[in-house]
Amino acid sequence: MAVFFSGSNASRRSVLDAAGSYLSNIITDNLTAIQSTGGNQFDATFSRPDTGASTTLSSYNIASDELRVFVGGRAFSDGNLGVGGYGGYSASGNQSFFDSIDQRGQVGSTKGSSAVEFAPWGGQIAFNNATNWYFDNNTSTNEAFSGNDFYTVALHELGHVLGLGTAASWDSKVSGNGFTGSNAVAAYGGNVPLAGDQSHWQEGTQSTVDGVAQEALLDPNITTGTRKVYTALDLAALRDVGWQVDVAAVPVPGAVWLFGSALLGFFGLQRKQRADI
């Protein structure tokens, strides 16, 4: 694995796994496999999290109910704590194979202005390895600590892999400077104001977690020494981009996260002296 998660840093992986497990347990979609065989070939493309270089894995396979995310660390000059997004691909074969890659068994469109679903093979996340991280997945949201909370940033960047701020089914619900997804509108009480990049909520956007007020996770910043988790608004947005979300679900074989060992997206949280992600 990249140095950020290996050797003496191997314990960091458990915090990342906890973030993936949370989402695995609430997202109940069934995703079909992508299998390269014969004339049907799938090549996964993404940016290496440790270098940012474009990478292609040829004749690649993704199992059913699997999202594969390549993770690592490198230094960022712009102050970002993390950047993440879904991966791309190239393929050859018949139309049915292309459809299976785009849809992964989902019914609605995943492309263009009519997109209502999102079904990636996975993606990539890079974490800033030059920042002061806090690694603990058992901390409550109201417990003070020092450093930038890795669990918060992992949840946020996995949201981008899942299409929050990145998918066509997100873009299709952006109007002006607001997000118009019906679930998010119901949770917020109107169109949700967006940051200038239209990929995050406007800074300071509030929602709730089990009825308790919290700044939304898709806000572009985080205060150093604090934790944020998915709020009602963030979960509503996951539904709007096409995911089936059941926050009361017990752990079931939903989407499985496999965090790749070798091998950045562009929608990240930033660090500032309120600490940004």
Side-chain angles (χ1 to χ4, degrees):
M1 208 167 229
V3 173
F4 190 77
F5 291 102
S6 64
S8 62
N9 297 327
S11 62
R12 299 174 176 182
R13 170 67 181 265
S14 65
V15 186
L16 181 63
D17 286 341
S21 293
Y22 167 76
L23 290 164
S24 292
N25 292 335
I26 65 169
I27 293 177
T28 61
D29 297 71
N30 293 311
L31 302 175
T32 56
I34 302 173
Q35 296 291 332
S36 294
T37 180
N40 292 327
Q41 295 293 314
F42 171 76
D43 299 340
T45 62
F46 58 97
S47 300
R48 286 184 61 110
D50 55 350
T51 67
S54 178
T55 300
T56 299
L57 299 177
S58 301
S59 299
Y60 206 55
N61 297 317
I62 300 293
S64 60
D65 293 332
E66 176 185 288
L67 291 166
R68 185 162 297 184
V69 183
F70 293 94
V71 294
R74 71 172 187 269
F76 299 138
S77 60
D78 57 8
N80 279 349
L81 295 179
V83 287
Y86 62 91
Y89 73 88
S90 59
S92 60
N94 57 43
Q95 187 61 50
S96 177
F97 183 59
F98 295 149
D99 293 342
S100 71
I101 296 170
D102 289 333
Q103 300 295 132
R104 300 201 65 187
Q106 307 308 298
V107 175
S109 174
T110 60
K111 292 183 174 182
S113 60
S114 61
V116 295
E117 291 280 1
F118 188 56
W121 61 263
Q124 64 281 309
I125 299 173
F127 297 99
N128 191 335
N129 62 12
T131 194
N132 176 30
W133 288 109
Y134 172 78
F135 293 97
D136 189 342
N137 58 296
N138 295 313
T139 302
S140 69
T141 56
N142 59 4
E143 180 179 341
F145 51 86
S146 62
N148 297 303
D149 187 42
F150 183 78
Y151 184 71
T152 296
V153 180
L155 286 175
H156 179 107
E157 300 307 337
L158 286 169
H160 287 314
V161 175
L162 287 169
L164 295 181
T166 60
S169 54
W170 168 278
D171 293 339
S172 67
K173 298 172 182 66
V174 173
S175 178
N177 294 319
F179 184 75
T180 65
S182 60
N183 292 289
V185 167
Y188 186 74
N191 290 354
V192 188
L194 295 173
D197 63 3
Q198 297 191 323
S199 300
H200 296 92
W201 306 135
Q202 186 178 85
E203 184 176 349
T205 297
Q206 296 289 311
S207 184
T208 60
V209 178
D210 296 328
V212 178
Q214 182 202 280
E215 186 178 71
L217 183 66
L218 199 60
D219 175 294
N221 307 303
I222 184 174
T223 300
T224 298
T226 65
R227 168 158 297 174
K228 295 197 293 186
V229 296
Y230 277 85
T231 66
L233 176 59
D234 301 308
L235 294 170
L238 281 175
R239 295 185 177 96
D240 284 327
V241 298
W243 296 103
Q244 299 173 33
V245 179
D246 182 359
V247 294
V250 296
V252 295
V256 176
W257 296 85
L258 292 183
F259 295 110
S261 61
L263 298 170
L264 158 137
F266 303 99
F267 303 94
L269 295 169
Q270 298 186 341
R271 184 192 61 244
K272 61 181 182 186
Q273 289 324 51
R274 162 182 127 63
D276 312 349
I277 305 179

